[in-house]
Amino acid sequence: MARSYVHEARKRVGPKKHRIRPIIERLAAEHQDATIALKFRSDLELLVAVMLSAQTTDVNVNRVTPALFAKYPRPEDYLAVQQEELERDIYATGFFRQKAKSLRGTMKLLIEEFDGEVPRTIDELLRFPGVARKTANVVAAELGTPQGIVVDTHVRRLSQRLGFTRQEDPVKVERDLIRLVPREDWGRFPHLLIWHGRRVCIARNPQCGRCVINDLCPASRV
């Protein structure tokens, strides 16, 4: 019965390849302020903030980073203190021991192989300890060279509701989205879904009645 309902709903809204552009356009008009929530002023600060954001909220990271960035403006500064001191400085972001170890390993590699400059390719970013594909995708996109699509819990959840993917694994979700989303939209697409997920398509109580894409969504309750 459920499968029949989903099939009928997808027939009602049309194929996903025909829906993707109007969905992006409407969400872009609705969420004009959709951008990364982390605060940073340099490539290095971006990399550090994204690494610290694992398993915690952007709000929490933004509370920690002003003092952190003032104390550690250069890669060398993260290596000039004992790991225990860095752990104390990032304690509030959680998993502080592993994060401190990853940060120090990243700064060492950054200095030795990249002259202190944050690289822009996914393959290079993935070489840093503690940098998985999601982190690499975020950094590359924010530096203006998106090479994939960031998949967090909002992106996965909304992509499933919109009928763009049936996958649960983020790598497989990204693979489906890359085939569907126009390349020029790879950078902004995740932000649009994230902000729409926070403001309208809330996990437990989706606000379908005020959703600008409800006629294009197979999960719409309207």
Side-chain angles (χ1 to χ4, degrees):
M1 194 72 176
R3 198 174 295 170
S4 172
Y5 169 77
V6 171
H7 178 69
E8 288 303 314
R10 285 186 174 148
K11 275 199 338 190
R12 172 174 57 82
V13 298
K16 56 189 175 185
K17 64 182 179 182
H18 294 159
R19 292 185 285 123
I20 186 65
R21 282 192 182 277
I23 284 173
I24 291 172
E25 288 166 7
R26 290 191 204 176
L27 290 179
E30 180 74 4
H31 305 291
Q32 295 182 26
D33 58 342
T35 187
I36 190 170
L38 295 169
K39 293 185 171 69
F40 59 91
R41 297 164 302 177
S42 69
D43 297 357
L44 179 65
E45 289 185 1
L46 167 65
L47 177 60
V48 172
V50 179
M51 290 178 68
L52 291 178
S53 71
Q55 306 298 316
T56 190
T57 64
D58 292 345
V59 171
N60 203 26
V61 174
N62 288 338
R63 288 196 193 105
V64 170
T65 49
L68 187 75
F69 293 158
K71 183 174 178 178
Y72 304 96
R74 304 171 306 151
E76 293 85 353
D77 299 321
Y78 288 86
L79 301 173
V81 299
Q82 293 297 314
Q83 179 162 321
E84 291 74 17
E85 183 173 346
L86 180 57
E87 288 175 3
R88 288 194 295 272
D89 290 335
I90 63 171
Y91 177 83
T93 68
F95 299 93
F96 57 93
R97 288 192 181 89
Q98 185 56 50
K99 288 180 181 179
K101 184 179 177 182
S102 294
L103 282 173
R104 285 168 60 83
T106 291
M107 297 308 159
K108 187 172 185 293
L109 192 61
L110 203 58
I111 293 165
E112 290 176 352
E113 298 198 26
F114 297 98
D115 295 322
E117 297 295 321
V118 177
R120 280 162 159 70
T121 72
I122 295 290
D123 288 343
E124 288 174 317
L125 288 163
L126 287 173
R127 293 179 58 197
F128 295 120
V131 174
R133 185 165 181 87
K134 178 189 167 188
T135 298
N137 265 332
V138 172
V139 172
E142 293 306 313
L143 293 179
T145 53
Q147 293 141 60
I149 294 175
V150 176
V151 176
D152 75 345
T153 54
H154 290 294
V155 174
R156 181 181 63 184
R157 179 170 60 82
L158 267 67
S159 294
Q160 290 168 342
R161 281 186 171 173
L162 288 164
F164 293 159
T165 184
R166 296 179 183 177
Q167 302 294 336
E168 290 289 340
D169 178 72
V171 174
K172 293 179 180 177
V173 173
E174 182 186 5
R175 199 175 299 145
D176 286 346
L177 293 177
I178 282 174
R179 286 196 286 258
L180 181 66
V181 177
R183 189 176 183 108
E184 64 268 21
D185 292 313
W186 284 5
R188 68 171 177 167
F189 181 75
H191 294 313
L192 296 175
L193 290 198
I194 289 167
W195 286 98
H196 195 63
R198 287 172 176 167
R199 292 168 169 170
V200 181
C201 194
I202 300 158
R204 292 184 180 178
N205 186 29
Q207 309 294 305
C208 298
R210 63 185 187 92
C211 176
V212 295
I213 56 172
N214 61 35
D215 61 313
L216 298 171
C217 177
S220 174
R221 300 175 184 180
V222 176

